[in-house]
Amino acid sequence: MAKQDQRRIMGLFVLSLKQAAAGHEGARLPGEMVRLTRRVVLRDLPIAGAGPSVLAPLLGRSFEAILPPDLSGGGEPAAPPPPRRTPLPTNSVAQQASEFNLALGMVTVDDVDDAASLDVEAITKALNEFGFVTDDEKPITRRDLVRSGDFLSIEGTVLASPSVHRKRLISVGFEIVTGDYDEREAAFAKIAGIARAVGGTLALDDSTVVPLTGEGFQL
């Protein structure tokens, strides 16, 4: 299974748990999750027709002849992978925080009635451009957004959760759901890109404003 499919399945699982915990009517039941996982895993596999076994060419061959040279003892051993860059910086937003809130200015529970509204069209366009999709992996529509559904990035690394109050889009919450260093950096780049595209402010739950460059950040 491709790494992207693994991430997406995990992201969908996290999304289903969040929806179920919140009593969301769109929460997937266990059976639906199994079918969805099967679809994601098997969608790119070719359908084999009738014919001889794919193992037929291996019959009668020695075990050493089947193995690659570095395992069978013949030929030159495979070159080791290049070393990863070290040390990895840890003072970036992506490595220190996972949950972010996008709004026009600062929004708290007490002033949500007076909060400025985000442009639904602009947010819809930005989410689609940065690779967020519906549960069925389709582009997000304006109607999808104002219904306060959750959306997962196509890689399965970021959840986007719009917050609608009195039919107005007040904010969009983002959660990075991967622990991989490079994937977290790429995930935050998506979030920051959306914030720039709509001219919004990105902040943590404690109202700490997050620099959109992602660098030099300390909790």
Side-chain angles (χ1 to χ4, degrees), residues 122-144:
I123 291 290
T124 302
K125 179 181 178 181
L127 287 174
N128 283 317
E129 287 181 349
F130 282 88
F132 286 82
V133 293
T134 66
D135 286 353
D136 296 326
E137 299 185 22
K138 295 180 179 179
I140 299 168
T141 66
R142 178 191 176 98
R143 184 169 181 268
D144 293 328

Side-chain angles (χ1 to χ4, degrees), residues 15-148:
L15 175 58
S16 69
L17 292 180
K18 287 169 66 71
Q19 290 177 334
H24 195 284
E25 63 180 7
R28 294 190 178 275
L29 300 176
E32 292 177 307
M33 281 301 300
V34 170
R35 288 190 291 274
L36 180 59
T37 301
R38 182 180 297 137
R39 177 172 61 82
V40 172
V41 174
L42 299 181
R43 64 186 176 189
D44 295 327
L45 293 181
I47 300 176
S53 169
V54 295
L55 299 179
L58 302 180
L59 296 178
R61 300 182 63 185
S62 67
F63 191 63
E64 290 75 9
I66 298 173
L67 290 175
D70 56 321
L71 294 181
S72 63
E76 294 295 328
R84 189 186 180 100
R85 63 185 187 276
T86 56
L88 295 174
T90 59
N91 65 334
S92 68
V93 176
Q95 305 308 319
Q96 300 186 66
S98 295
E99 298 184 15
F100 308 91
N101 192 58
L102 171 62
L104 294 180
M106 304 306 299
V107 178
T108 66
V109 175
D110 296 330
D111 62 8
V112 66
D113 287 329
D114 300 321
S117 301
L118 287 167
D119 187 322
V120 174
E121 293 293 345
I123 291 290
T124 302
K125 179 181 178 181
L127 287 174
N128 283 317
E129 287 181 349
F130 282 88
F132 286 82
V133 293
T134 66
D135 286 353
D136 296 326
E137 299 185 22
K138 295 180 179 179
I140 299 168
T141 66
R142 178 191 176 98
R143 184 169 181 268
D144 293 328
L145 198 66
V146 298
R147 291 177 62 188
S148 296

